[in-house]
Amino acid sequence: MSAEFDLIARIRERVAVRSDVVLGIGDDAALLAVPAGMQLVVAMDTLNAGVHFPAETAPADIGWKSLAVNLSDLTAMGARPAWCTLSLSLPEGEAAWVDGFLDGFLALAARHDVALVGGDTTRGPLSVCVTAHGFVEPGKALRRDGARVGDDVWVTGTLGDAAAALAQWRKGTAIDETLRVRLDRPEPRVAAGLALSGLAHACIDVSDGLLSDLGHICEASGVGADVEIDALPASPALRSTFDVATRRVLQASGGDDYELCFTAAVDVRDAIEDAVHRDDLVATRIGRIVEARRVSAFDMQGQAWVPEKTGYAHF
Ligand code: ADP
Ligand code: MG
């Protein structure tokens, strides 16, 4: 791409500085100073047009989301985000598209003091790959394998909003604006993840669907979980848009929520609420870790609730 260097220059002009970036965009690789005594946490996620977002999604929303999903992964480890890299595959080296993309990407980066330190720019089908890097104190990472029998299962925020927006988009009906923002501009729960490190036993971010992702915690921990389907937190927008049966499916298995699902001992309930509570964000108890190695959902009458599918699978 002949315009490749122009595009890189446009990106370089706009990136924020951090004192631990010894050398950022412009050399063969970035030089970064990991704070003494900290562990480096690294995550990578790719977004492909037509697979992870509708092709007509606004460039700024693609920019926001491509970083958000990576910060969400760092957050689910209890890490403090610091740096990121960006690989852009573009059908045309269009400066206006890149400018729009950066508007969203850098707005979220600024909010969490994340520096873009390098990347790659190529011609090809529209695809965005981001890596995010953060720090955690040794022994303090929130892993998937720490859940214990008797733990409460918690989730931050509300579930099902993003999947609801996607369902409306697929149907071709008008998309509720509150729901659309949850789909296009997910908020990584960075402060909650940091506050939970040292408190929660296990944690995952909900990307593929609650039951599916909670299943990953259970599998890694050698335990199971009972989930109260009617305890899953729902936004007013979701409640007013879908009937109960559809809402349950969207909340339990819709995915794209980027909320944190975590387990913690019963005797730290108050501490968990204090740790997560900030602005409008709350944590809700949705179930219990059990010995039986399966994830089951129940309604208020204690009847088993069986979803049609448990999460998004690519293959
Ligand atoms: P090289 O050929 O040595 O890999 P490139 O020409 O690909 O170098 O990149 C030049 C510099 O620009 C590098 O520092 C690289 O990290 C940075 N860079 C390239 N593309 C991007 C991008 N999309 N976002 C951020 N930095 C980028
Ligand atoms: Mg080189």
Side-chain angles (χ1 to χ4, degrees):
M1 196 189 296
S2 61
E4 176 192 339
F5 297 109
D6 297 342
L7 291 181
I8 296 172
R10 282 184 109 79
I11 296 170
R12 186 181 182 177
E13 235 165 60
R14 293 182 59 180
V15 303
V17 290
R18 267 179 70 107
S19 59
D20 52 12
V21 179
V22 182
L23 193 57
I25 295 173
D27 212 309
D28 293 310
L31 267 180
L32 307 166
V34 179
M38 299 296 269
Q39 288 178 335
L40 183 64
V41 185
V42 180
M44 173 193 265
D45 252 324
T46 301
L47 300 191
N48 291 328
V51 180
H52 300 93
F53 56 86
E56 65 263 36
T57 307
D61 288 338
I62 300 170
W64 177 287
K65 189 162 181 175
S66 66
L67 181 60
V69 300
N70 280 280
L71 295 186
S72 181
D73 279 327
L74 289 187
T75 294
M77 298 300 292
R80 182 181 296 283
W83 313 309
C84 63
T85 61
L86 166 65
S87 173
L88 278 178
S89 166
L90 303 171
E92 296 143 82
E94 211 188 304
W97 192 95
V98 172
D99 288 344
F101 176 92
L102 290 175
D103 289 342
F105 189 97
L106 296 177
L108 182 62
R111 202 182 281 206
H112 296 287
D113 190 22
V114 169
L116 176 60
V117 299
D120 200 17
T121 307
T122 56
R123 188 188 286 275
L126 180 57
S127 174
V128 180
C129 180
V130 173
T131 67
H133 314 242
F135 316 128
V136 73
E137 265 177 60
K140 286 282 185 70
L142 294 171
R143 303 162 50 131
R144 296 181 180 184
D145 59 5
R148 298 174 207 171
V149 173
D151 277 1
D152 290 318
V153 179
W154 297 78
V155 71
T156 59
T158 60
L159 296 169
D161 294 340
L166 202 59
Q168 289 182 326
W169 176 77
R170 286 206 182 103
K171 270 197 293 186
T173 55
I175 303 179
D176 178 281
E177 182 57 16
T178 312
L179 300 177
R180 188 196 66 75
V181 170
R182 293 293 315 269
L183 175 66
D184 289 336
R185 300 245 167 175
E187 285 284 352
R189 303 304 188 188
V190 176
L194 288 170
L196 287 170
S197 115
L199 255 186
H201 287 157
C203 184
I204 192 167
D205 68 321
V206 181
S207 54
D208 294 336
L210 174 81
L211 295 182
S212 170
D213 288 320
L214 176 56
H216 294 315
I217 284 185
C218 290
E219 211 171 291
S221 302
V223 296
D226 285 346
V227 172
E228 274 179 63
I229 193 71
D230 295 313
L232 302 185
S235 70
L238 184 66
R239 283 182 196 282
S240 66
T241 322
F242 287 89
D243 60 69
V244 177
T246 309
R247 173 155 64 75
R248 282 173 168 176
V249 176
L250 294 170
Q251 293 186 276
S253 53
D256 249 1
D257 297 296
Y258 302 103
E259 296 293 350
L260 297 177
C261 174
F262 57 95
T263 84
V266 171
D267 59 11
V268 295
R269 282 179 182 173
D270 291 346
I272 294 280
E273 278 171 7
D274 288 347
V276 172
H277 196 99
R278 227 177 236 90
D279 305 321
D280 285 339
L281 190 67
V282 295
T284 305
R285 271 188 287 123
I286 58 166
R288 190 58 75 89
I289 294 296
V290 297
E291 235 163 89
R293 297 186 64 167
R294 39 115 197 99
V295 176
S296 305
F298 299 93
D299 65 17
M300 267 178 321
Q301 284 73 46
Q303 297 284 320
W305 179 85
V306 182
E308 286 158 43
K309 66 180 186 79
T310 51
Y312 189 85
H314 280 273
F315 302 104

